[in-house]
Structures are given as structure tokens and as C-alpha cells.
Amino acid sequence: MQLLDGKALSDTIKIELKKESMALNEKGITPGLAVILVGDDAASQTYVKMKEKACDATGIYSIIHKMPSTISQTKILEIIQMINQNPNIDGVLVQLPLPKHIDTTKIIEAIDPKKDVDGFHPFNVGRLVSGLDGYVPCTPLGVMRLLKAYNIDPKGLDACVVGASNIVGKPMMNLLLNAFATVDICHIYTKNLKEHTKKADLVIVGVGKINLITEDMVKEGAIVIDIGINKTSEGKIVGDVDFEHVAPKCSYITPVPGGVGPMTIAMLLENTILAAQKR
Ligand code: GUN
């Protein structure tokens, strides 16, 4: 069993991105990222802080627009328009989830697709589904990069994606399909999850449920990618996979923390630098 070390890979990527950022500086460009954070969801606040810190370390200017959960949709849309028109900002990210009274689709559709470094705008989603280039959501992009770094080619593999969210599962499915894997996608209404995971060469899970994937659900030699980030009652961070019992069966597995999480942030930085290079 080999660990897929996302922390180490993300550190290497960040060093490269810092160089690209400095090359942009020489052309008089400072890459810029605007983040919209609505409300006081604890996890969202932590993620935004991590993104801000990573931007600082990479030479990306970042500005956080913090808003109370009572803010109106109109006001958020106005701020997005302002960011869209700001020539010093290359990327914009609206931290999800948004409060219930806000229509998330309307907010995402207001983002200029050229600044959509999260890859959530239907324009970029459509390009991904069609196998065209565009901004790709950071978490599944980070998974693909991690596989590539360990010379794992999805071509011809039986892959099982567990979780069908717009942020993780659906773009993950499309990236794997574009890389010629045979993809099975499971979700909350899947009748027999084990039947699907058990036959997969590559299991990718991003649901947010501790110990969802147990030892009996994975075949010998499988590659297991755990996208879940959960806090146990003791305050420990764990994924969706029962790592202790599943890991011995795997050829490769990601740890949590230190697997996919750091890759997500590295891909956000990469998408932002890419946007700045296209300025
Ligand atoms: N909420 C959970 N994951 C993400 C992400 O990757 N981007 C944004 N904007 N919000 C999230």
C-alpha cells in the first residue's frame, strides 16, 4: 500500500506557482482573487482563511468580501458585478454553501466565466462535459493531478465515484470519463453501494460521512481516494473511508488530512494564476 501524498505534491506545485506569479510581476501583473464569504459557517470560515494564507504564500493578492447571513441576493449580485469589472481581479470565488434565502444558481451565473476559478459556472461545466478546456472545479482537478503524479492512468479502469454533488462528484465523473475510465456514479438513492464500490479499480468518495466505506466494500488492490472531511466527536479530522481497515487492502490510498484537501487549494491557486496569465 502506498500513500498518495497530497500535502507534498501541493507544496511542490505551490513553489512552481510562486515562480509563475513572480514572472507575472515582471510584466506588471499581480494575480488577484476575490472571495465572497456569506454568514458565519465555521467550516467555510476555516476554508477561506486557508485559501487566503495560500494566496499570500504564492504572491496572489486576495480580497475577502465578508457579508452577514442576512445580506440580500441583490447586494451580492452587485458585488459580483463590481468584481467582474475590476481589471485587477482575475478570479472570483463564492464560498458555498450560501444561506437558504439566496439562489446559489443565480449567484454562480452572475460570475464572469473568465474569472470563474472554481469552475462552477454552467459555461465551464458545459465545456468540461464536452471535453473542452475551461476552468475545472478544484477538488476533482486536484484528484486528477494526484493520480497523474503517481503515474496512475484512469484509462480503462473501472472507477466508482460516490457522491454526485456539483462541486465534487459530477465534475469528477466527467474528468474520469474524459480520461477514458469506465465510470459508475453512486449517490444517496443508490440501492446497494457495496455492489458498485466492490468491483471498482478506483473508488473516489466525497460524501461527508464517517466510515461510509468499510473494508468489505473495497476489492484487493483498489486505489482509494477520500475527499471527505469530517470532524469526529473527539475533534479529530477524518475522511469518509475507514482508513485503518481499508488501507491494508489498497494499492494506493489518500490520507485525511494530507491527501486531497491540500490539492484543492493548490488547484485554486493554479486556476487563479492561469486567469492572470490570460489577462
Ligand atoms: N464549499 C465546499 N467546497 C467548496 C469549493 O471548492 N469552492 C467553494 N466556492 N465553496 C466550497
Side-chain angles (χ1 to χ4, degrees), residues 53-79:
K53 219 176 113 194
C55 280
D56 278 351
T58 318
I60 296 172
Y61 162 76
S62 68
I63 178 160
I64 318 295
H65 295 271
K66 256 186 139 175
M67 299 162 207
S69 59
T70 50
I71 194 156
S72 72
Q73 182 166 303
T74 311
K75 186 73 198 163
I76 304 177
L77 290 171
E78 277 171 24
I79 291 166

PDB file of all heavy atoms in Angstrom, residues 53-79:
ATOM      1  N   LYS A  53      -4.388  32.436   3.116  1.00  0.00           N
ATOM      2  CA  LYS A  53      -2.990  32.186   3.503  1.00  0.00           C
ATOM      3  C   LYS A  53      -2.197  31.628   2.313  1.00  0.00           C
ATOM      4  O   LYS A  53      -1.058  32.044   2.052  1.00  0.00           O
ATOM      5  CB  LYS A  53      -2.983  31.159   4.655  1.00  0.00           C
ATOM      6  CG  LYS A  53      -1.949  31.470   5.721  1.00  0.00           C
ATOM      7  CD  LYS A  53      -2.037  30.485   6.872  1.00  0.00           C
ATOM      8  CE  LYS A  53      -0.786  29.633   6.907  1.00  0.00           C
ATOM      9  NZ  LYS A  53      -0.912  28.452   7.756  1.00  0.00           N
ATOM     10  N   ALA A  54      -2.818  30.713   1.579  1.00  0.00           N
ATOM     11  CA  ALA A  54      -2.144  30.106   0.419  1.00  0.00           C
ATOM     12  C   ALA A  54      -1.895  31.158  -0.670  1.00  0.00           C
ATOM     13  O   ALA A  54      -0.851  31.139  -1.319  1.00  0.00           O
ATOM     14  CB  ALA A  54      -2.983  28.956  -0.123  1.00  0.00           C
ATOM     15  N   CYS A  55      -2.842  32.072  -0.848  1.00  0.00           N
ATOM     16  CA  CYS A  55      -2.665  33.159  -1.827  1.00  0.00           C
ATOM     17  C   CYS A  55      -1.461  34.007  -1.432  1.00  0.00           C
ATOM     18  O   CYS A  55      -0.599  34.308  -2.260  1.00  0.00           O
ATOM     19  CB  CYS A  55      -3.909  34.047  -1.885  1.00  0.00           C
ATOM     20  SG  CYS A  55      -5.239  33.353  -2.865  1.00  0.00           S
ATOM     21  N   ASP A  56      -1.390  34.380  -0.173  1.00  0.00           N
ATOM     22  CA  ASP A  56      -0.275  35.193   0.336  1.00  0.00           C
ATOM     23  C   ASP A  56       1.062  34.530   0.016  1.00  0.00           C
ATOM     24  O   ASP A  56       1.993  35.177  -0.463  1.00  0.00           O
ATOM     25  CB  ASP A  56      -0.368  35.349   1.867  1.00  0.00           C
ATOM     26  CG  ASP A  56      -1.342  36.445   2.250  1.00  0.00           C
ATOM     27  OD1 ASP A  56      -1.781  37.174   1.338  1.00  0.00           O
ATOM     28  OD2 ASP A  56      -1.668  36.554   3.452  1.00  0.00           O
ATOM     29  N   ALA A  57       1.132  33.225   0.282  1.00  0.00           N
ATOM     30  CA  ALA A  57       2.387  32.487   0.104  1.00  0.00           C
ATOM     31  C   ALA A  57       2.776  32.363  -1.367  1.00  0.00           C
ATOM     32  O   ALA A  57       3.932  32.108  -1.687  1.00  0.00           O
ATOM     33  CB  ALA A  57       2.259  31.106   0.733  1.00  0.00           C
ATOM     34  N   THR A  58       1.801  32.544  -2.260  1.00  0.00           N
ATOM     35  CA  THR A  58       2.059  32.336  -3.694  1.00  0.00           C
ATOM     36  C   THR A  58       2.178  33.662  -4.446  1.00  0.00           C
ATOM     37  O   THR A  58       2.359  33.667  -5.661  1.00  0.00           O
ATOM     38  CB  THR A  58       0.912  31.473  -4.292  1.00  0.00           C
ATOM     39  OG1 THR A  58       0.593  30.434  -3.372  1.00  0.00           O
ATOM     40  CG2 THR A  58       1.286  30.842  -5.609  1.00  0.00           C
ATOM     41  N   GLY A  59       2.050  34.756  -3.730  1.00  0.00           N
ATOM     42  CA  GLY A  59       2.145  36.061  -4.387  1.00  0.00           C
ATOM     43  C   GLY A  59       0.864  36.468  -5.100  1.00  0.00           C
ATOM     44  O   GLY A  59       0.873  37.264  -6.030  1.00  0.00           O
ATOM     45  N   ILE A  60      -0.267  35.888  -4.659  1.00  0.00           N
ATOM     46  CA  ILE A  60      -1.568  36.273  -5.214  1.00  0.00           C
ATOM     47  C   ILE A  60      -2.219  37.257  -4.242  1.00  0.00           C
ATOM     48  O   ILE A  60      -2.321  36.972  -3.039  1.00  0.00           O
ATOM     49  CB  ILE A  60      -2.481  35.035  -5.416  1.00  0.00           C
ATOM     50  CG1 ILE A  60      -1.860  34.086  -6.456  1.00  0.00           C
ATOM     51  CG2 ILE A  60      -3.897  35.443  -5.816  1.00  0.00           C
ATOM     52  CD1 ILE A  60      -2.588  32.743  -6.589  1.00  0.00           C
ATOM     53  N   TYR A  61      -2.645  38.400  -4.789  1.00  0.00           N
ATOM     54  CA  TYR A  61      -3.377  39.363  -3.967  1.00  0.00           C
ATOM     55  C   TYR A  61      -4.777  38.792  -3.739  1.00  0.00           C
ATOM     56  O   TYR A  61      -5.438  38.368  -4.688  1.00  0.00           O
ATOM     57  CB  TYR A  61      -3.441  40.713  -4.701  1.00  0.00           C
ATOM     58  CG  TYR A  61      -4.496  41.654  -4.188  1.00  0.00           C
ATOM     59  CD1 TYR A  61      -4.304  42.357  -2.992  1.00  0.00           C
ATOM     60  CD2 TYR A  61      -5.688  41.839  -4.890  1.00  0.00           C
ATOM     61  CE1 TYR A  61      -5.278  43.211  -2.513  1.00  0.00           C
ATOM     62  CE2 TYR A  61      -6.670  42.708  -4.417  1.00  0.00           C
ATOM     63  CZ  TYR A  61      -6.450  43.376  -3.235  1.00  0.00           C
ATOM     64  OH  TYR A  61      -7.420  44.211  -2.752  1.00  0.00           O
ATOM     65  N   SER A  62      -5.235  38.755  -2.483  1.00  0.00           N
ATOM     66  CA  SER A  62      -6.599  38.263  -2.267  1.00  0.00           C
ATOM     67  C   SER A  62      -7.397  39.256  -1.440  1.00  0.00           C
ATOM     68  O   SER A  62      -6.852  39.914  -0.551  1.00  0.00           O
ATOM     69  CB  SER A  62      -6.588  36.890  -1.588  1.00  0.00           C
ATOM     70  OG  SER A  62      -6.125  36.991  -0.268  1.00  0.00           O
ATOM     71  N   ILE A  63      -8.653  39.365  -1.787  1.00  0.00           N
ATOM     72  CA  ILE A  63      -9.549  40.221  -1.004  1.00  0.00           C
ATOM     73  C   ILE A  63     -10.784  39.416  -0.627  1.00  0.00           C
ATOM     74  O   ILE A  63     -11.385  38.742  -1.472  1.00  0.00           O
ATOM     75  CB  ILE A  63      -9.900  41.531  -1.762  1.00  0.00           C
ATOM     76  CG1 ILE A  63     -10.879  42.365  -0.940  1.00  0.00           C
ATOM     77  CG2 ILE A  63     -10.426  41.285  -3.173  1.00  0.00           C
ATOM     78  CD1 ILE A  63     -10.938  43.818  -1.320  1.00  0.00           C
ATOM     79  N   ILE A  64     -11.101  39.444   0.664  1.00  0.00           N
ATOM     80  CA  ILE A  64     -12.252  38.677   1.156  1.00  0.00           C
ATOM     81  C   ILE A  64     -13.410  39.643   1.385  1.00  0.00           C
ATOM     82  O   ILE A  64     -13.283  40.584   2.175  1.00  0.00           O
ATOM     83  CB  ILE A  64     -11.932  37.953   2.495  1.00  0.00           C
ATOM     84  CG1 ILE A  64     -10.534  37.327   2.490  1.00  0.00           C
ATOM     85  CG2 ILE A  64     -13.026  36.946   2.855  1.00  0.00           C
ATOM     86  CD1 ILE A  64     -10.313  36.212   1.519  1.00  0.00           C
ATOM     87  N   HIS A  65     -14.513  39.436   0.686  1.00  0.00           N
ATOM     88  CA  HIS A  65     -15.725  40.224   0.916  1.00  0.00           C
ATOM     89  C   HIS A  65     -16.584  39.442   1.907  1.00  0.00           C
ATOM     90  O   HIS A  65     -17.252  38.485   1.530  1.00  0.00           O
ATOM     91  CB  HIS A  65     -16.486  40.458  -0.390  1.00  0.00           C
ATOM     92  CG  HIS A  65     -15.734  41.283  -1.380  1.00  0.00           C
ATOM     93  ND1 HIS A  65     -15.810  42.657  -1.422  1.00  0.00           N
ATOM     94  CD2 HIS A  65     -14.873  40.936  -2.363  1.00  0.00           C
ATOM     95  CE1 HIS A  65     -15.037  43.116  -2.389  1.00  0.00           C
ATOM     96  NE2 HIS A  65     -14.455  42.097  -2.973  1.00  0.00           N
ATOM     97  N   LYS A  66     -16.530  39.864   3.176  1.00  0.00           N
ATOM     98  CA  LYS A  66     -17.273  39.149   4.235  1.00  0.00           C
ATOM     99  C   LYS A  66     -18.623  39.799   4.395  1.00  0.00           C
ATOM    100  O   LYS A  66     -18.718  41.022   4.541  1.00  0.00           O
ATOM    101  CB  LYS A  66     -16.499  39.258   5.541  1.00  0.00           C
ATOM    102  CG  LYS A  66     -15.775  38.000   5.914  1.00  0.00           C
ATOM    103  CD  LYS A  66     -15.153  38.121   7.280  1.00  0.00           C
ATOM    104  CE  LYS A  66     -15.348  36.821   8.019  1.00  0.00           C
ATOM    105  NZ  LYS A  66     -14.704  36.782   9.302  1.00  0.00           N
ATOM    106  N   MET A  67     -19.684  39.015   4.356  1.00  0.00           N
ATOM    107  CA  MET A  67     -21.035  39.572   4.470  1.00  0.00           C
ATOM    108  C   MET A  67     -21.850  38.818   5.500  1.00  0.00           C
ATOM    109  O   MET A  67     -21.673  37.608   5.657  1.00  0.00           O
ATOM    110  CB  MET A  67     -21.747  39.460   3.121  1.00  0.00           C
ATOM    111  CG  MET A  67     -21.041  40.227   2.045  1.00  0.00           C
ATOM    112  SD  MET A  67     -21.590  39.662   0.462  1.00  0.00           S
ATOM    113  CE  MET A  67     -20.134  40.073  -0.462  1.00  0.00           C
ATOM    114  N   PRO A  68     -22.774  39.530   6.168  1.00  0.00           N
ATOM    115  CA  PRO A  68     -23.622  38.842   7.145  1.00  0.00           C
ATOM    116  C   PRO A  68     -24.620  37.916   6.444  1.00  0.00           C
ATOM    117  O   PRO A  68     -24.950  38.130   5.264  1.00  0.00           O
ATOM    118  CB  PRO A  68     -24.354  39.989   7.842  1.00  0.00           C
ATOM    119  CG  PRO A  68     -24.353  41.097   6.853  1.00  0.00           C
ATOM    120  CD  PRO A  68     -23.093  40.959   6.047  1.00  0.00           C
ATOM    121  N   SER A  69     -25.117  36.901   7.156  1.00  0.00           N
ATOM    122  CA  SER A  69     -26.034  35.929   6.537  1.00  0.00           C
ATOM    123  C   SER A  69     -27.357  36.574   6.131  1.00  0.00           C
ATOM    124  O   SER A  69     -28.103  36.013   5.334  1.00  0.00           O
ATOM    125  CB  SER A  69     -26.287  34.767   7.497  1.00  0.00           C
ATOM    126  OG  SER A  69     -26.839  35.265   8.690  1.00  0.00           O
ATOM    127  N   THR A  70     -27.631  37.783   6.648  1.00  0.00           N
ATOM    128  CA  THR A  70     -28.889  38.470   6.321  1.00  0.00           C
ATOM    129  C   THR A  70     -28.789  39.292   5.023  1.00  0.00           C
ATOM    130  O   THR A  70     -29.772  39.882   4.595  1.00  0.00           O
ATOM    131  CB  THR A  70     -29.248  39.440   7.465  1.00  0.00           C
ATOM    132  OG1 THR A  70     -28.096  40.243   7.744  1.00  0.00           O
ATOM    133  CG2 THR A  70     -29.657  38.682   8.723  1.00  0.00           C
ATOM    134  N   ILE A  71     -27.640  39.318   4.410  1.00  0.00           N
ATOM    135  CA  ILE A  71     -27.454  40.154   3.206  1.00  0.00           C
ATOM    136  C   ILE A  71     -28.416  39.715   2.091  1.00  0.00           C
ATOM    137  O   ILE A  71     -28.770  38.533   1.989  1.00  0.00           O
ATOM    138  CB  ILE A  71     -25.986  40.090   2.719  1.00  0.00           C
ATOM    139  CG1 ILE A  71     -25.718  41.215   1.707  1.00  0.00           C
ATOM    140  CG2 ILE A  71     -25.642  38.731   2.126  1.00  0.00           C
ATOM    141  CD1 ILE A  71     -24.306  41.626   1.581  1.00  0.00           C
ATOM    142  N   SER A  72     -28.838  40.684   1.276  1.00  0.00           N
ATOM    143  CA  SER A  72     -29.779  40.346   0.203  1.00  0.00           C
ATOM    144  C   SER A  72     -29.035  39.788  -1.007  1.00  0.00           C
ATOM    145  O   SER A  72     -27.847  40.046  -1.209  1.00  0.00           O
ATOM    146  CB  SER A  72     -30.560  41.586  -0.216  1.00  0.00           C
ATOM    147  OG  SER A  72     -29.711  42.469  -0.925  1.00  0.00           O
ATOM    148  N   GLN A  73     -29.781  39.047  -1.812  1.00  0.00           N
ATOM    149  CA  GLN A  73     -29.236  38.485  -3.050  1.00  0.00           C
ATOM    150  C   GLN A  73     -28.791  39.606  -3.987  1.00  0.00           C
ATOM    151  O   GLN A  73     -27.741  39.519  -4.626  1.00  0.00           O
ATOM    152  CB  GLN A  73     -30.314  37.625  -3.691  1.00  0.00           C
ATOM    153  CG  GLN A  73     -29.871  36.940  -4.939  1.00  0.00           C
ATOM    154  CD  GLN A  73     -30.832  35.854  -5.329  1.00  0.00           C
ATOM    155  OE1 GLN A  73     -31.109  34.945  -4.554  1.00  0.00           O
ATOM    156  NE2 GLN A  73     -31.364  35.943  -6.517  1.00  0.00           N
ATOM    157  N   THR A  74     -29.603  40.658  -4.054  1.00  0.00           N
ATOM    158  CA  THR A  74     -29.289  41.803  -4.927  1.00  0.00           C
ATOM    159  C   THR A  74     -27.927  42.391  -4.583  1.00  0.00           C
ATOM    160  O   THR A  74     -27.143  42.723  -5.477  1.00  0.00           O
ATOM    161  CB  THR A  74     -30.384  42.888  -4.770  1.00  0.00           C
ATOM    162  OG1 THR A  74     -31.638  42.235  -4.888  1.00  0.00           O
ATOM    163  CG2 THR A  74     -30.255  43.980  -5.795  1.00  0.00           C
ATOM    164  N   LYS A  75     -27.661  42.516  -3.294  1.00  0.00           N
ATOM    165  CA  LYS A  75     -26.394  43.113  -2.859  1.00  0.00           C
ATOM    166  C   LYS A  75     -25.214  42.225  -3.285  1.00  0.00           C
ATOM    167  O   LYS A  75     -24.197  42.721  -3.776  1.00  0.00           O
ATOM    168  CB  LYS A  75     -26.420  43.297  -1.323  1.00  0.00           C
ATOM    169  CG  LYS A  75     -25.243  44.034  -0.770  1.00  0.00           C
ATOM    170  CD  LYS A  75     -25.278  45.527  -1.088  1.00  0.00           C
ATOM    171  CE  LYS A  75     -23.886  46.128  -0.892  1.00  0.00           C
ATOM    172  NZ  LYS A  75     -23.734  47.423  -1.534  1.00  0.00           N
ATOM    173  N   ILE A  76     -25.375  40.919  -3.125  1.00  0.00           N
ATOM    174  CA  ILE A  76     -24.282  40.001  -3.538  1.00  0.00           C
ATOM    175  C   ILE A  76     -24.061  40.122  -5.050  1.00  0.00           C
ATOM    176  O   ILE A  76     -22.930  40.189  -5.514  1.00  0.00           O
ATOM    177  CB  ILE A  76     -24.587  38.528  -3.161  1.00  0.00           C
ATOM    178  CG1 ILE A  76     -24.862  38.391  -1.662  1.00  0.00           C
ATOM    179  CG2 ILE A  76     -23.429  37.614  -3.559  1.00  0.00           C
ATOM    180  CD1 ILE A  76     -25.238  36.972  -1.230  1.00  0.00           C
ATOM    181  N   LEU A  77     -25.179  40.195  -5.795  1.00  0.00           N
ATOM    182  CA  LEU A  77     -25.065  40.302  -7.258  1.00  0.00           C
ATOM    183  C   LEU A  77     -24.341  41.594  -7.647  1.00  0.00           C
ATOM    184  O   LEU A  77     -23.520  41.602  -8.578  1.00  0.00           O
ATOM    185  CB  LEU A  77     -26.454  40.235  -7.917  1.00  0.00           C
ATOM    186  CG  LEU A  77     -27.130  38.862  -7.846  1.00  0.00           C
ATOM    187  CD1 LEU A  77     -28.575  38.926  -8.318  1.00  0.00           C
ATOM    188  CD2 LEU A  77     -26.365  37.821  -8.662  1.00  0.00           C
ATOM    189  N   GLU A  78     -24.626  42.660  -6.910  1.00  0.00           N
ATOM    190  CA  GLU A  78     -23.939  43.944  -7.175  1.00  0.00           C
ATOM    191  C   GLU A  78     -22.432  43.819  -6.956  1.00  0.00           C
ATOM    192  O   GLU A  78     -21.632  44.321  -7.754  1.00  0.00           O
ATOM    193  CB  GLU A  78     -24.478  45.030  -6.229  1.00  0.00           C
ATOM    194  CG  GLU A  78     -25.759  45.683  -6.712  1.00  0.00           C
ATOM    195  CD  GLU A  78     -26.357  46.599  -5.634  1.00  0.00           C
ATOM    196  OE1 GLU A  78     -25.610  47.076  -4.745  1.00  0.00           O
ATOM    197  OE2 GLU A  78     -27.580  46.805  -5.700  1.00  0.00           O
ATOM    198  N   ILE A  79     -22.073  43.144  -5.882  1.00  0.00           N
ATOM    199  CA  ILE A  79     -20.640  42.986  -5.576  1.00  0.00           C
ATOM    200  C   ILE A  79     -19.958  42.135  -6.650  1.00  0.00           C
ATOM    201  O   ILE A  79     -18.848  42.433  -7.089  1.00  0.00           O
ATOM    202  CB  ILE A  79     -20.448  42.419  -4.150  1.00  0.00           C
ATOM    203  CG1 ILE A  79     -20.864  43.503  -3.143  1.00  0.00           C
ATOM    204  CG2 ILE A  79     -19.002  41.984  -3.885  1.00  0.00           C
ATOM    205  CD1 ILE A  79     -21.047  43.047  -1.741  1.00  0.00           C
TER     206      ILE A  79
END
